[in-house]
Amino acid sequence: MSVSEDTQQLLTEIKRLREELAIKEKHLHDLQTEPCNCKYLENNDFTTDEIIRYSRQMIMPQVQIDGQARLKRGKILIIGAGGLGCPAALYLTSAGVGEITLVDYDEVELSNLHRQILHSENDINIPKVQSASDKLKNINNNVRVIPLKVHADSNTLSRIIQDDKYDVVLDCSDNVATRYLVNDVCVMNDIPLVSGSALQMEGQLTVYHHNSGPCYRCLFPVPPPPHTVTNCGDGGVLGPIPGVIGVLQALEALKILVQLPDVLSGRLLLFDGSTTTFRNIKLRPRNEKCEVCGVNPTITKLIDYEQFCGASAHDKVVNIDIITFAEQTDVKDFPQDLQNNIVIDVRPELEYKMCSLPGTFNFPYSLIIKDCDKVRKFVESKVQDGVTDIYFLCRRGNDSQRAMLYMKENINFEAVQYHNIKGGLHAYSKYIDPSFPVY
Amino acid sequence: MPVTVNILFFAQARELAGKSEAEFTIETPIAYSDLVKRIVDEFSLTELQDHLILALNSDWVWDQEILNLKPADEIAVIPPLSGG
C-alpha cells in the first residue's frame, strides 16, 4: 500500500471514529442534562451542572444569576472563524451564551493554525465553521452552535439576520468590504457591533452602533484605496495579536449581554504588541450626517460592497495577467540550465531567506522600482557572460509580472528575452516539487 | 509660533512613514486640514489622507477644529485596520 493510500485510509477511519464519538458524547450530554427540577435552585433556568460550571463568574456581583440568565438567553452572530473569531467564540461558548452562529466560507489551511486556535492539524481542508463548532460543542454542549458555511455578502447576511434575532454581532472578518457590509447590516437592524481587527503586531477594537455611539461609517465614510490595504497573507500577523483582540471582543460582547456599563463604544482601543501598549482614543459621537446611521440616511438598503470598496470581500490575492501569452512560461518549462538562463526572484528579502530555489537571484520588486541601478548592473554583467534569457519569479506570479514589465520599459537589452514563471512558486510546488512550502 | 510635537503612527501609516513615532515641529494654532496636509506631506501618507483618524492627546480631532498645540503634545495618526 502506498503512503498516500495509507494516509487516505487513516483519514477516513479517523473521520468515522470522530462521528461515532460525537454521537456518543451527545447521548451522554443528553442523559446528564435532563431537566432536574432541583429543589435547591430558586431559578429553574439552570441545571445543577450549569450552576457549578458558571459559578466562578456567577458569584461576581457584576454577573450574578440574572446576568448568567441573560447570557443564556443571548444570541450572538460571529462573522469570520479565523484569528479573531476563534478566540472570541471560545470564550463566549465557555461563558454559556445561549446561541452562537458562526459564518465563514473558507476551509482550514496549514498556514492558519498559528493563530486560528480552534482548528487542528486534522481539520485541514474541512470548513472552518465545522471545525470550530466541533471544538466549541466539546467545550460546552449547553451552547447551541450554528455553523454556516457561506460567504457573507448582502444577500446571505440579510437572510441570516432575518432568520434570527441577534443581540450582538462580532466582526471578525479580514477585509474592508465585509466590514462596511457588517456595519450597515448592524445599523439597519439596530444591533450593536463589536469590531476587532489585527495585522502584524497591531490590533484595533471598538463597539459600533451601541447606546447612540458612532458606526464604522461615522469614522471612515470613504473606504481606503485597495492598494493601501495589507492583508494577513501578505503582511503577516503574530498569533497572539488577533488572540488578544478576539478575547477582548468576547469580553465586550459579554458586557453587552449582561448589560454592564462602560462598553467600549465611542472609544477605540489600539493595541501595539511591539511595545505591549494599549491606548484608548476618544472617538467622535455619532455623525448626524452619516449616510447609514445619520438623521436622514441615504443608504437604507444593503449595497454591493465589493463595488463600493473596489476590492473583493475576502483576503485572498486575485491573480493578475498583465503580460503577453508569449512572455508567460509554464512552470514545467522552468530552466534547468542556470548558466545561460538566470532566474530573478522578486520577493521581499525576508521571504527569500525563508525559502528559495537554489541558483536564483533575489532582487525584491519594491527595490527594483525604487532604484533599478543595481539590477541593471547585474543584468549587464550577466549579458556579457552570455545570458540570453531572464526569468522572473515570485510567490504567486503577480509581482514577477509587474517587475518584468518594469524591466522591459526601463532596462531593455536587445540580446535578452524576459519571461515570467506563471503561477510563481505556488505553481512550482504544485507541479514540480511539493516539498517547496506554499505559504 | 512653532512647537515640537510627537507624532504616533499606527497600522498602514506606520508602514508608509517607516517609523512608529517622530518629532515634528509645526506652527500653532493650526487648522485641522493644514495639520493633516503637513503630516501627510512630511511622512509620505498622501494615499491615506482621507482615510485616517487624528487624535490629539488621545482625543478625536474634528475636521473643522483649530488646534492650539503645546510642546510634547501627542498626535496619533490612525488609519483603519481590516485584517483578522
Side-chain angles (χ1 to χ4, degrees), chain B residues 40-53:
Chain B
V40 301
D41 286 350
E42 178 73 20
F43 299 101
S44 327
L45 306 176
T46 317
E47 292 172 313
L48 296 177
Q49 65 178 343
D50 299 325
H51 315 280
L52 44 83
I53 295 175

Side-chain angles (χ1 to χ4, degrees), chain A residues 112-131:
Chain A
N112 299 148
L113 300 190
H114 81 292
R115 67 188 189 284
Q116 303 185 10
I117 49 168
L118 284 175
H119 313 309
S120 67
E121 289 170 8
N122 296 318
D123 301 319
I124 307 293
N125 293 331
I126 76 163
K128 286 185 181 176
V129 289
Q130 191 57 54
S131 156

Side-chain angles (χ1 to χ4, degrees), chain A residues 328-329 394-397 401 420-428:
Chain A
Q328 291 280 22
T329 293
C394 68
R395 190 169 160 193
R396 305 184 181 91
Q401 291 182 52
N420 178 58
I421 305 285
K422 200 177 172 196
L425 290 160
H426 280 199
Y428 184 89

